[in-house]
Amino acid sequence: MSERKSFAIGVDLGATTIKVGIIGKNGNIPDQLSVDSKANKGPKVVIQQIIFAVQELISRHKISECAGIGIGSPGVISNVDGTVQHPPNFADWTKVDLGKEIRKAFKLPVFIENDANCAAIAEARYGAGIEFKDFLFVIWGTGVGGGIILDRKIFHGPYGGAGEIGHISIDYNGRKCNCGNFGCIESYIGQRYLSQRTKEILSASLKDGTHSKIMDLVGGNLNKIDPAIISQAAEEDDPTAIEVLTEAGNLLGYALSSILNVIDLRVVVIGGGISAAPAFVYKAIISSIRERILKPHKEGVRVVRAKLGNNAGMVGAASLVL
Amino acid sequence: MSERKSFAIGVDLGATTIKVGIIGKNGNIPDQLSVDSKANKGPKVVIQQIIFAVQELISRHKISECAGIGIGSPGVISNVDGTVQHPPNFADWTKVDLGKEIRKAFKLPVFIENDANCAAIAEARYGAGIEFKDFLFVIWGTGVGGGIILDRKIFHGPYGGAGEIGHISIDYNGRKCNCGNFGCIESYIGQRYLSQRTKEILSASLKDGTHSKIMDLVGGNLNKIDPAIISQAAEEDDPTAIEVLTEAGNLLGYALSSILNVIDLRVVVIGGGISAAPAFVYKAIISSIRERILKPHKEGVRVVRAKLGNNAGMVGAASLVL
């Protein structure tokens, strides 16, 4: 960030919500707001929503103090022409020059980066990754995404799309993933699958009359099960919750072993909603990596929880403005 | 290579044979020889064999014209201390400073690099990779190895061990690999597995009295089946050979899709003994990648055959001397 300016604007573009924040030089967030993304209305409407949110936020602050706007966006950000390609769950969006559109609207520098990469950058600069020069960042939530940090910088790969770790297949004959491939780790441990798997186990055990803490937590409504509920039940020693999360941790460890073998990384930082899971899940991930990774790569394997929570994407986006 | 010197020595250290060559500035090989590696006798004996072979070769040429020695070695080459760690099939070899030992014996600069990386470098400079800035190099032979070329240079990863693509698992419940993991692609398509799989299919079909070209080629001895025989039979339209190689190509494609997704590479160069397989195997690899890779990564996917054959390792090792 420019020495003279006191803040940058970080935009976290999600399929449901656009979060916009004033980010200070230390990664602090003195002000933020969010608006509906209207992702089903097509790219023009989404761009209007971003512009509206940024205008609203800027109106509360001195624009002369703003160094620029950083945007974290889902999809592949081409490092040839900077376009945003195929963001999942955005209607009619094949290839859009988002940076150009936002630059037109504001007389400020605009930078754009993949959302998972933004979160990885934020963890590298201000979060759990500060002490590691190289690490794999994993976003474990609705889906599974990631970012590769090499020498404290994002590794983009030759075309800008590196880090798609949710689409490592752990079983070529496995379950069909939304991406069209089979056995992608995302289709085993993403939010929907975890909730579904828990429901299945509970439905079976309910027939036996077995009691579960999960049922208490959702007031008997199986459709209310989500990873936060499963985590809470696991903390209260519920066996189903522990089973589901341990299994997910093991599977994630298997996928990570393959990736760590290929890139020879040793440290994994896990963010996203499900990263709030209890410590035993991290133990499952680490032990399955240690069991499966190549012998010379075993030394120094670490798996740690991210620190910046939901704001990582916004903070990382703002920190692109340098 | 130094402007004044006319050649470098390339050493390709294998578990069976050490190949040593005089390599000219254009990657040409005016002279070469090979000796037994004696890998089962421990690192001291292996080092003596390398020294012996290099001395023998140098004695035939003007040492004053030699710019240095490059060594391609199996195992992980640490980029912290340059040691060679855990080369498979080398007895009593945990961690050896091979470069230092060879430097002691010759008053020449010595460079050391992983053998698969050496072959990748050779293909990048003189072979099938010349036209590509970034590609994944695959060695498909006894095992499956690889090297990652980014911006025409080897990507070592933070600890020097990147490129171990043989140990991408395609099935977490799959067959046990020598490395301890399950479902590694190497354990499905490595030389031994292909021969074994062919034998199994043939043994079953022989009972039905079905005739196979493979049986003619090995004179009825199933133990003589190897990938060269299978390739030859496939070229002569033998259905078993075609089945085995198509299946192997598909499986390799699945593993490559995962890797290409994570690193966002698009080009694959395939070397090693089995890369001599007929063109339909390449078609199987490409179509299984196109079927499985992420949509934004599909554009520009190419799979090509390496050009330098068995000498790639030696040539690439020599080209480290610059």
Side-chain angles (χ1 to χ4, degrees), chain A residues 134 150 155 157-164 167 169-172 181 251 258 261-266 292 294 297, chain B residues 134 150 155 157-159 161-164 167 169-172 181 251 254 258 261-266 292 294 297:
Chain A
D134 312 279
L150 294 177
F155 169 72
Y159 300 86
E164 286 289 2
H167 302 281
S169 166
I170 59 168
D171 182 358
Y172 69 99
N181 196 354
L251 294 173
S258 286
N261 279 346
V262 171
I263 314 182
D264 199 12
L265 284 167
R266 311 279 167 98
R292 301 242 171 175
L294 286 168
H297 295 208
Chain B
D134 312 280
L150 293 177
F155 169 71
Y159 300 87
E164 285 289 3
H167 302 281
S169 167
I170 58 168
D171 182 358
Y172 69 99
N181 195 355
L251 295 173
Y254 301 155
S258 287
N261 279 346
V262 170
I263 313 182
D264 199 12
L265 284 167
R266 310 278 167 100
R292 301 241 169 176
L294 286 168
H297 295 211

Side-chain angles (χ1 to χ4, degrees), chain A residues 227-240:
Chain A
I229 296 282
I230 305 169
S231 282
Q232 194 183 334
E235 306 245 27
E236 295 172 22
D237 295 327
D238 179 77
T240 302

Side-chain angles (χ1 to χ4, degrees), chain B residues 121-182:
Chain B
I121 291 168
E123 291 294 339
R125 290 206 186 155
Y126 310 110
I130 288 178
E131 57 177 309
F132 307 112
K133 204 166 62 70
D134 312 280
F135 64 90
L136 182 67
F137 178 70
V138 177
I139 290 194
W140 186 9
T142 313
V144 176
I148 299 166
I149 296 282
L150 293 177
D151 208 14
R152 303 193 195 283
K153 290 184 289 286
I154 277 286
F155 169 71
H156 288 102
Y159 300 87
E164 285 289 3
I165 65 159
H167 302 281
I168 278 275
S169 167
I170 58 168
D171 182 358
Y172 69 99
N173 278 322
R175 59 181 65 228
K176 178 125 190 182
C177 179
N178 285 336
C179 78
N181 195 355
F182 294 84

Side-chain angles (χ1 to χ4, degrees), chain A:
Chain A
M1 200 178 304
S2 157
E3 283 303 311
R4 297 174 303 109
K5 311 285 185 173
S6 66
F7 68 85
I9 288 172
V11 178
D12 183 6
L13 174 59
T16 312
T17 305
I18 298 165
K19 288 172 64 181
V20 183
I22 299 284
I23 314 294
K25 292 191 180 188
N26 305 317
N28 56 316
I29 312 169
D31 193 8
Q32 64 178 302
L33 60 84
S34 52
V35 300
D36 189 346
S37 343
K38 302 189 176 173
N40 60 333
K41 300 262 171 80
K44 277 195 181 166
V45 174
V46 173
I47 290 165
Q48 281 167 6
Q49 289 297 93
I50 297 174
I51 292 170
F52 166 76
V54 173
Q55 270 170 342
E56 176 65 24
L57 191 71
I58 282 183
S59 73
R60 305 178 192 168
H61 301 268
K62 285 187 190 160
I63 192 166
S64 61
E65 286 300 308
C66 181
I69 301 169
I71 305 172
S73 168
V76 171
I77 318 299
S78 162
N79 60 4
V80 177
D81 59 12
T83 54
V84 175
Q85 295 171 21
H86 305 283
N89 308 312
F90 282 71
D92 306 324
W93 191 311
T94 50
K95 191 170 173 175
V96 173
D97 194 342
L98 182 58
K100 186 178 153 196
E101 298 297 326
I102 304 302
R103 231 169 268 126
K104 259 199 265 176
F106 301 95
K107 287 178 180 162
L108 286 168
V110 175
F111 300 86
I112 189 152
E113 175 63 271
N114 171 273
D115 53 358
N117 285 349
C118 284
I121 291 167
E123 291 294 338
R125 290 206 184 153
Y126 311 111
I130 288 178
E131 57 177 308
F132 306 111
K133 202 167 63 68
D134 312 279
F135 64 89
L136 182 68
F137 178 69
V138 177
I139 292 195
W140 186 10
T142 313
V144 176
I148 300 166
I149 296 282
L150 294 177
D151 209 13
R152 303 194 194 284
K153 291 184 288 289
I154 278 286
F155 169 72
H156 288 102
Y159 300 86
E164 286 289 2
I165 65 161
H167 302 281
I168 278 274
S169 166
I170 59 168
D171 182 358
Y172 69 99
N173 277 321
R175 60 180 64 228
K176 177 125 190 181
C177 180
N178 286 336
C179 78
N181 196 354
F182 294 83
C184 294
I185 184 65
E186 173 165 306
S187 65
Y188 289 81
I189 67 164
Q191 167 156 351
R192 193 183 305 161
Y193 173 75
L194 285 189
S195 306
Q196 189 55 39
R197 178 103 179 94
T198 309
K199 263 196 238 178
E200 279 165 18
I201 299 176
L202 281 182
S203 303
S205 67
L206 284 174
K207 285 176 197 151
D208 311 341
T210 316
H211 175 258
S212 166
K213 291 225 167 94
I214 299 173
M215 293 305 290
D216 298 344
L217 290 167
V218 296
N221 182 350
L222 286 174
N223 291 323
K224 283 191 177 167
I225 293 172
D226 69 15
I229 296 282
I230 305 169
S231 282
Q232 194 183 334
E235 306 245 27
E236 295 172 22
D237 295 327
D238 179 77
T240 302
I242 291 172
E243 181 188 338
V244 168
L245 288 173
T246 303
E247 187 184 76
N250 284 333
L251 294 173
L252 178 54
Y254 301 154
L256 292 174
S257 303
S258 286
I259 301 168
L260 301 184
N261 279 346
V262 171
I263 314 182
D264 199 12
L265 284 167
R266 311 279 167 98
V267 177
V268 181
V269 174
I270 301 188
I274 306 179
S275 70
F280 76 85
V281 180
Y282 286 78
K283 282 188 190 149
I285 300 170
I286 292 175
S287 70
S288 87
I289 294 176
R290 290 233 170 94
E291 193 190 299
R292 301 242 171 175
I293 200 170
L294 286 168
K295 210 171 157 191
H297 295 208
K298 274 189 212 292
E299 208 176 307
V301 168
R302 289 187 63 182
V303 178
V304 301
R305 199 190 302 266
K307 284 186 177 160
L308 303 176
N310 284 335
N311 291 325
M314 203 169 62
V315 171
S319 80
L320 301 171
V321 185
L322 270 170

Side-chain angles (χ1 to χ4, degrees), chain B residues 53-77:
Chain B
V54 173
Q55 270 170 342
E56 177 65 24
L57 191 70
I58 282 183
S59 72
R60 307 180 192 167
H61 300 269
K62 282 189 191 159
I63 192 167
S64 60
E65 285 301 309
C66 181
I69 301 167
I71 304 171
S73 167
V76 171
I77 319 299

Side-chain angles (χ1 to χ4, degrees), chain B residues 145-313:
Chain B
I148 299 166
I149 296 282
L150 293 177
D151 208 14
R152 303 193 195 283
K153 290 184 289 286
I154 277 286
F155 169 71
H156 288 102
Y159 300 87
E164 285 289 3
I165 65 159
H167 302 281
I168 278 275
S169 167
I170 58 168
D171 182 358
Y172 69 99
N173 278 322
R175 59 181 65 228
K176 178 125 190 182
C177 179
N178 285 336
C179 78
N181 195 355
F182 294 84
C184 294
I185 183 64
E186 172 165 305
S187 65
Y188 288 81
I189 67 163
Q191 166 157 351
R192 194 182 307 161
Y193 172 75
L194 285 189
S195 306
Q196 189 56 40
R197 178 103 179 92
T198 309
K199 261 195 240 180
E200 280 166 18
I201 299 176
L202 281 182
S203 304
S205 68
L206 284 175
K207 284 176 200 151
D208 310 344
T210 317
H211 175 257
S212 166
K213 292 224 167 91
I214 299 174
M215 292 306 290
D216 299 343
L217 291 167
V218 298
N221 183 351
L222 286 173
N223 292 323
K224 283 193 178 165
I225 294 171
D226 68 15
I229 297 281
I230 305 169
S231 283
Q232 195 183 334
E235 305 246 28
E236 296 172 20
D237 295 326
D238 179 77
T240 303
I242 291 172
E243 180 187 339
V244 167
L245 288 174
T246 304
E247 186 184 76
N250 285 332
L251 295 173
L252 179 54
Y254 301 155
L256 291 174
S257 303
S258 287
I259 300 168
L260 301 184
N261 279 346
V262 170
I263 313 182
D264 199 12
L265 284 167
R266 310 278 167 100
V267 178
V268 181
V269 174
I270 301 189
I274 306 177
S275 69
F280 76 84
V281 180
Y282 286 78
K283 282 190 189 147
I285 300 170
I286 291 175
S287 71
S288 87
I289 294 176
R290 291 234 170 94
E291 192 190 300
R292 301 241 169 176
I293 200 170
L294 286 168
K295 210 172 155 187
H297 295 211
K298 274 189 212 293
E299 210 177 306
V301 167
R302 289 188 62 183
V303 178
V304 300
R305 200 190 302 265
K307 284 187 179 160
L308 303 177
N310 283 335
N311 291 325

